[in-house]
Structure formats: C-alpha cells, structure tokens
Amino acid sequence: RGKKAFIAGVADDQGFGWAIAKALAEAGAEISLGVWVPALNIFKTSFEKGKFDESRKLSDGSLMTFSHIYPMDAVFDTMADVPEEVAANKRYAGNKKWTVAEVAECVAQDSGSIDILIHSLANGPEVVKPLLETSRKGYLAALSASSYSLISMVQRFGPIMNEGGAVVSLTYNASNRIIPGYGGGMSTAKAALESDTRVLAYEAGRKYKVRVNTISAGPLGSRAARAIGFIDDMIRYSYENSPIQKELAAIEVGNVAAFLVSPLSSAVTGHVMFVDNGLNVMGIAT
Ligand code: NAD
C-alpha cells in the first residue's frame, strides 16, 4: 500500500513544501495539499494552466499529481475562532471548511487515514522589524501562524494517523543563533517550534505511535524568504561559509523529509535535523 501524505504550506513550486511533495511522490506516496486560502485561487489556476508542469516531472517521466487540494488557514482551529472580517472576506467566503479541524475532517472523509503529516508554513507579519521594535500583536501572530499551527495540526490529524506514521516541520537556526533581520518574533517562533517538536514527539509518540521531527533548513529563495528581504545575502553567506560550498536545493530538504517519514528513520523522533550544507557547525565566518 502506498503511503498517504498531507502537506500544509504549498502555494507554488518554489518552496520546501513542493520539494517534499516531489520527494514523497518519487517514493510512491499519495499526496494531498493544504493551501493557504488567499493563495489557493492563483495556485489552482497556475496548476491548471500547466505552469508547474516542468517541476511536476518525476524521474519516470510522469507528472506528480495531488489527490486532493484543500483550502486551509492554519491560524484558525475551528470556525468559532474566525473573526467576522475574515469570514466575510471574499477570498475566504468563497471557500469552505478551511480551519485546521475542518481540513482534518475532510481528509478523514476523503482518505480515511494518513501516514505522513508535513507542516511547511510560517508567517510573521512584522518579520522585517527587529525584536526590539516588534509589537505584541505581531509577535503573537508569528507564534500563532508558525508554531501553534504545528500543535493544532498534530492535535487534529493525530487521531487519523496510522501507527508508525510521522510528522515533519521546517525550522530555521535563527532559533539558536542571532540572525539579524529575521525579526518580528520569527526567531522565537522557530525556538518554540523546535521545543514543541520534542514535547510532541513524546506526547504524540505515546498517544498515536507517530514520530515528530523538524528539519532546520539552510536558506532558499522561496516566496516566503523573499518577503523577508535579505535572502540573497543569506544564500551568499551560506555558500561562502559552509563546509559544503554549494547552493542548497529544495529537493535536498525534500529527500531528508522523505527519509524522516520512512521506516529508515524508525527510531528517530524529537530531533532537529540540519539540512544546511553544514553551516550550523561553523563557529566563525570564513
Ligand atoms: P513558501 O512560501 O514556499 O512556504 C510558506 C507557505 O506558508 C506558503 O505556501 C504560504 O501560503 C503558507 N502559509 C502562510 N501562512 C499560512 C497560514 N496561516 N495557513 C496556511 N498556510 C500558510 O516558503 P518556504 O521558505 O518553503 O517555507 C516553508 C517552511 O520552511 C517555513 O516554515 C519556513 O520558515 C521554513 N524555512 C525556510 C527557509 C528559507 O530560507 N526559505 C529556511 C529555513 C526554514
């Protein structure tokens, strides 16, 4: 039986979520996506127009397909949490069942159960502001979208995960080291995500017999990273200073995610795995 995967946080073919989908598709998994509600229309239109066809190509020549594409907003757990202005927003009102609990219900209905849960999303409205200038609202929004969203997903999808299943999220080493420019509480959000990965590994491990790990990725010029503004500098810095001097390809993260959800890593849980050409082990810039 092919494994079933649900991946939250794909809205184009440039980010880590897409690359993880590809690596899982290569390994024979059946993939469904959760796409951020405001990005869903353009994603679907681009998909239908064939804009992703080149990057959908698998090694056997076939095109990667998705069994279901769900609208999703990971900052809301149930409809009771949704403020009126969001519910009334055209892009939201035109879609249904996009809170985390509702998406999990839809996935249960459509797929029964899943084996693989991927969290590849983050959002920090004040990411360009230093922590010293970050508002309480911006800080809490970063934590809500980028950290609590993982807890919410494990809460709601855990019950429909098969034993031996695995959860993987994406983090960044700004959790441990000072990365000037990665602001708005996003550094805090990643620290929380890594800590929660350990506690969830224990709790969901005992309760659902699933593993929970996170990948600490090196810099990639995704849409989210471009919004932060200094990604090209980060890519250059990483190239110049890493033990392995090459640019990180998204598929390298995809392949490690495939390992972390496969039986090859059956004793690995609660782990922060660096996929960064080794930059994190350097002590000084070269
Ligand atoms: P990306 O833009 O491809 O992915 C981020 C996704 O999050 C987007 O698809 C966006 O639509 C979605 N999203 C934002 N808010 C959401 C919400 N409330 N509900 C549902 N979806 C929402 O960019 P990416 O860089 O591939 O990011 C994926 C993950 O990788 C993130 O956790 C990011 O922090 C992490 N990461 C990125 C880098 C990098 O350099 N790009 C490095 C380390 C870690």
Side-chain angles (χ1 to χ4, degrees):
R1 177 180 75 78
K3 289 191 176 176
K4 291 183 205 162
F6 176 77
I7 305 179
V10 174
D12 58 34
D13 60 354
Q14 300 296 303
F16 288 129
W18 178 275
I20 293 169
K22 258 193 112 168
L24 297 182
E26 289 283 7
E30 184 187 315
I31 295 155
S32 293
L33 300 181
V35 179
W36 195 26
V37 185
L40 180 65
N41 259 347
I42 176 134
F43 177 74
K44 277 193 166 163
T45 312
S46 306
F47 190 91
E48 282 153 19
K49 280 191 180 154
K51 277 199 183 165
F52 303 139
D53 284 2
E54 199 48 45
S55 32
R56 283 173 63 202
K57 270 204 188 116
L58 300 173
S59 51
D60 67 0
S62 68
L63 294 189
M64 170 168 67
T65 57
F66 302 116
S67 34
H68 299 276
I69 298 176
Y70 302 97
M72 178 172 179
D73 193 323
V75 304
F76 303 112
D77 302 312
T78 69
M79 270 320 273
D81 303 324
V82 180
E84 187 47 42
E85 71 266 23
V86 174
N89 179 299
K90 238 195 338 200
R91 287 188 291 189
Y92 282 80
N95 285 294
K96 281 195 302 255
K97 301 197 170 175
W98 40 260
T99 65
V100 178
E102 292 169 299
V103 176
E105 280 164 24
C106 292
V107 172
Q109 225 159 52
D110 296 335
S111 306
S113 60
I114 60 169
D115 305 284
I116 298 166
L117 181 65
I118 307 289
H119 175 286
S120 182
L121 62 99
N123 200 7
E126 297 183 12
V127 65
V128 298
K129 285 193 191 165
L131 199 53
L132 256 182
E133 291 164 27
T134 297
S135 72
R136 184 182 300 268
K137 195 170 167 219
Y139 180 93
L140 293 176
L143 271 284
S144 173
S146 314
S147 316
Y148 187 79
S149 53
L150 175 69
I151 300 174
S152 177
M153 281 176 60
V154 177
Q155 277 179 14
R156 313 286 176 167
F157 285 84
I160 64 163
M161 289 187 75
N162 295 318
E163 276 187 32
V167 181
V168 169
S169 69
L170 271 297
T171 187
Y172 182 47
N173 202 22
S175 54
N176 295 303
R177 307 284 174 212
I178 301 159
I179 311 283
Y182 196 76
M186 279 306 299
S187 55
T188 326
K190 291 308 192 187
L193 187 77
E194 291 172 22
S195 179
D196 297 340
T197 295
R198 293 182 280 271
V199 179
L200 291 172
Y202 165 65
E203 293 183 3
R206 294 291 174 92
K207 193 163 185 185
Y208 305 119
K209 297 190 165 57
V210 300
R211 297 180 293 108
V212 184
N213 292 291
T214 188
I215 294 174
S216 188
L220 173 79
S222 64
R223 181 193 294 221
R226 300 238 163 262
I228 306 173
F230 65 110
I231 186 67
D232 293 327
D233 297 336
M234 292 305 297
I235 291 171
R236 187 174 348 101
Y237 181 92
S238 174
Y239 186 95
E240 284 168 1
N241 295 295
S242 293
I244 305 294
Q245 289 194 298
K246 63 172 173 57
E247 195 167 319
L248 179 74
I251 194 64
E252 295 179 288
V253 167
N255 288 335
V256 173
F259 160 70
L260 284 175
V261 301
S262 84
L264 290 175
S265 63
S266 54
V268 180
T269 194
H271 189 58
V272 180
M273 178 159 289
F274 283 94
V275 182
D276 67 344
N277 289 316
L279 182 64
N280 73 94
V281 301
M282 296 298 293
I284 58 166
T286 56

